[in-house]
Amino acid sequence: MKNKKINIIVTEKEIQERIVELGKQISKDYENKNLYVLSLLRGSFIYTADLVRHITVPTKIGFMTTSSYGNSENSIGSVIVVNDIQDNIESCDVLVVDDIIDTGITMEFVKNHVLELGAVTVKSSALLDKPERRKVDIKPDYCCFEIPNVFVVGYGLNYGDYYRNIPYVFNWKDE
Ligand code: IMP
Ligand code: MG
């Protein structure tokens, strides 16, 4: 972007250290449970891949694609299921993983959807949480970082179709 400087919000090291902690916590909490990690595509693919490598209890991993944003910065306030869960999750303790909880509409929708499909329990994890933007009453059970109300990209989060591959979370500020 012209006349803009990269402003790192969460460094690669901070992310990786926090994931180690959360992986330990999740492994402890899901001992003797039937963990099913449900990764919401596309935003959470990198966070999920890193997180599950720090989970030491047996876990299934599945994917679901939802859409609410298109390419703009503003949520349209409703969730579309683009690709549904491919497994029977009836006996599972589902942990829904997303890149960010913003209005909370996506996470609330997916948690309800998972319960309708017969999951035993459902909890949520997000790399980022923007509590100021909340439109529904929801709090992630396992959150890496709370951030202020700024639009960010990197580490799975996109603007247009880009920046998901950047290993840290950032935005731009005027030079
Ligand atoms: P929610 O339903 O409003 O909580 O929004 C969830 C989805 O919005 C996330 O999974 C992201 O794809 C997208 N989103 C929200 N905030 C940001 C942001 O700051 N950067 C990139 N995507 C975002
Ligand atoms: Mg997303």
Side-chain angles (χ1 to χ4, degrees):
M1 300 225 176
K2 259 194 185 157
N3 305 323
K4 300 265 182 191
K5 218 170 106 193
I6 282 181
N7 177 39
I8 299 185
I9 310 279
V10 195
T11 67
E12 188 173 0
K13 185 164 178 276
E14 286 167 335
I15 295 172
Q16 295 306 327
E17 286 174 358
R18 182 72 181 122
I19 286 177
V20 172
E21 285 175 9
L22 278 188
K24 277 190 191 142
Q25 185 64 48
I26 291 166
S27 303
K28 198 163 151 244
D29 295 351
Y30 283 87
E31 242 185 315
N32 305 315
K33 302 242 187 201
N34 190 12
L35 179 59
Y36 184 104
V37 170
L38 178 62
S39 171
L40 300 187
L41 297 174
R42 284 176 258 180
S44 81
F45 82 109
I46 291 183
Y47 174 46
T48 305
D50 282 345
L51 181 66
V52 293
R53 282 178 286 178
H54 293 281
I55 293 178
T56 52
V57 293
T59 184
K60 295 179 188 167
I61 301 163
F63 302 91
M64 178 176 172
T65 308
T66 59
S67 173
S68 66
Y69 255 64
N71 285 336
S72 82
E73 294 185 19
N74 287 306
S75 170
I76 54 170
S78 64
V79 181
I80 303 152
V81 177
V82 179
N83 263 304
D84 209 346
I85 308 169
Q86 300 293 309
D87 303 304
N88 180 349
I89 54 165
E90 273 176 18
S91 62
C92 295
D93 295 292
V94 176
L95 179 62
V96 183
V97 177
D98 207 356
D99 51 359
I100 186 164
I101 301 189
D102 185 34
T103 65
I105 291 168
T106 304
M107 188 54 84
E108 182 179 68
F109 174 90
V110 174
K111 282 179 84 175
N112 288 335
H113 182 69
V114 160
L115 288 174
E116 276 163 19
L117 292 174
V120 182
T121 64
V122 61
K123 284 196 195 182
S124 61
S125 178
L127 172 76
L128 302 172
D129 183 11
K130 264 192 219 172
E132 279 173 51
R133 292 257 308 162
R134 209 64 100 246
K135 286 194 185 149
V136 293
D137 184 18
I138 196 166
K139 208 174 170 299
D141 297 287
Y142 306 96
C143 169
C144 290
F145 303 97
E146 269 192 18
I147 60 163
N149 183 11
V150 287
F151 190 83
V152 296
V153 296
Y155 198 76
L157 293 113
N158 64 307
Y159 178 66
D161 285 326
Y162 291 95
Y163 309 110
R164 295 190 197 275
N165 57 311
I166 308 300
Y168 49 83
V169 174
F170 72 101
N171 64 4
W172 293 270
K173 62 180 178 197
D174 293 328
E175 281 200 280

